C-alpha cells in the first residue's frame, strides 16, 4: 500500500485503477477534506485539489520509476519487499515525503536511486537515509552548482564563471550557503593569497 496505491479501488465504470490512479484518488479525497475548511466553492476546490494531487503523484512516480528500473522490480514487487521488512519502511516514508517536496526530475531520480540502493544492500540503508535527508528540497540550481564543483576546491568566482549565462552569481552564492549546513561541502578554507575555497564533502561526491 505504501507504493502500489490502494489495491482494489475501482473507477466510476468499475474498472480497476492502476497504481497512479489509486494514489490520485486517495490523495484527492484527503486533500479535498483538508481544504474544505478554506471555504472555497466546490468547483474551485476540486480543480485546485486535482492540480496539486496530479503534481504530487507525478513526483512520486518519477522517484519510484527510478527505483523500479535499478532493482528490476515491478512497483508491486517493490512494495511487497518493503512492507515485508519493517526496517525498510522509515526510509521509504522519507523518500516519498522528499519526492513531494522536490519539483525537479534530477532530485526525484536521485531519491529513487537511494531507495533502490537501500533495497539492494540493506547494510547501506543508513547512508542512503542520510543522502535522502540531504536531497530533500534540492532545486535545479543546487544540482547545477554541485555538478561544476568536482575536483579540488574552487572559489565562488571560479564556480560563478563555470555557471556564467546559466545562473546569476547571487543565486549561486545562495545555493552554496544553503548546501553547506546540509553537508555537501567541507568547511570552506582559505589559501595563500586570500580567498575562500569550496570543496565537495564525501556526501557531495556521493550525490
Amino acid at each position: 500500500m505504501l507504493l502500489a496505491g490502494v489495491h482494489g479501488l475501482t473507477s466510476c465504470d468499475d474498472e480497476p485503477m492502476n497504481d497512479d490512479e489509486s494514489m490520485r484518488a486517495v490523495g484527492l479525497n484527503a486533500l479535498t477534506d483538508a481544504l474544505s475548511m478554506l471555504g472555497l466553492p466546490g468547483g474551485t476546490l476540486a480543480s485546485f485539489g486535482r492540480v496539486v494531487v496530479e503534481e504530487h503523484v507525478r513526483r512520486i512516480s518519477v522517484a519510484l520509476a527510478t527505483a523500479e528500473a535499478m532493482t528490476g522490480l515491478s512497483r508491486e514487487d517493490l512494495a511487497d519487499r518493503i512492507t515485508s521488512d519493517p526496517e525498510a519502511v522509515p526510509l521509504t516514508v522519507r523518500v516519498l515525503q522528499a519526492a513531494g517536496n522536490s519539483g525537479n526530475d534530477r532530485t526525484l531520480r536521485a531519491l529513487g536511486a537511494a531507495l533502490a540502493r537501500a533495497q539492494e544492500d540493506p547494510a547501506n540503508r543508513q547512508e542512503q537515509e542520510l543522502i535522502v535527508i540531504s536531497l530533500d528540497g534540492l532545486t535545479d540550481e543546487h544540482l547545477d552548482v554541485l555538478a561544476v564543483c568536482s575536483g579540488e576546491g574552487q572559489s565562488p568566482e571560479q564556480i560563478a564563471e563555470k555557471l556564467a549565462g546559466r545562473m546569476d552569481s547571487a543565486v549561486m552564492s545562495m545555493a552554496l550557503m544553503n548546501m553547506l549546513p546540509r553537508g555537501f561541502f567541507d568547511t570552506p578554507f582559505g589559501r595563500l593569497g586570500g580567498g575562500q575555497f569550496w570543496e565537495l564533502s564525501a556526501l557531495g561526491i556521493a550525490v
Side-chain angles (χ1 to χ4, degrees), residues 97-173:
Q97 290 174 333
N101 295 334
S102 304
N104 67 86
D105 285 2
R106 287 187 292 172
T107 300
L108 295 172
R109 289 193 293 269
L111 289 167
L115 180 63
R117 289 192 295 265
Q119 284 303 300
E120 293 174 332
D121 182 11
N124 195 29
R125 191 171 290 153
Q126 289 181 326
E127 178 180 336
Q128 299 310 314
E129 186 161 8
L130 292 173
I131 289 175
V132 170
I133 291 170
S134 295
L135 286 169
D136 192 351
L138 285 195
T139 66
D140 277 325
E141 288 72 26
H142 291 112
L143 296 178
D144 285 343
V145 170
L146 285 175
V148 301
C149 286
S150 59
E152 62 181 36
Q154 300 173 71
S155 69
E157 292 76 18
Q158 290 172 319
I159 298 170
E161 184 178 350
K162 291 182 178 181
L163 292 169
R166 290 191 288 155
M167 187 183 305
D168 182 83
S169 59
V171 174
M172 181 275 296
S173 295

Side-chain angles (χ1 to χ4, degrees), residues 1-11 17-35 49-50 52-54 56-57 60 96:
M1 185 170 174
L2 271 172
L3 306 182
V6 181
H7 297 297
L9 283 179
T10 58
S11 61
M17 294 182 181
N18 63 33
D19 294 339
D20 285 355
E21 288 171 340
S22 297
M23 284 194 290
R24 288 188 186 96
V26 173
L28 186 56
N29 288 338
L31 186 62
T32 299
D33 289 343
L35 294 178
R50 188 172 297 108
V52 172
V53 170
E54 286 284 346
H56 193 77
V57 170
I60 291 175
L96 299 182

Side-chain angles (χ1 to χ4, degrees), residues 30-90:
L31 186 62
T32 299
D33 289 343
L35 294 178
S36 62
M37 295 182 291
L38 298 179
L40 294 173
T44 302
L45 180 62
S47 177
F48 177 70
R50 188 172 297 108
V51 169
V52 172
V53 170
E54 286 284 346
E55 175 59 16
H56 193 77
V57 170
R58 184 198 72 80
R59 294 178 180 191
I60 291 175
S61 293
V62 171
L64 294 182
T66 299
E68 293 162 25
M70 288 182 63
T71 60
L73 298 171
S74 68
R75 188 168 304 183
E76 184 174 354
D77 289 339
L78 184 61
D80 287 343
R81 179 181 291 189
I82 289 170
T83 53
S84 65
D85 179 6
E87 293 187 1
V89 174

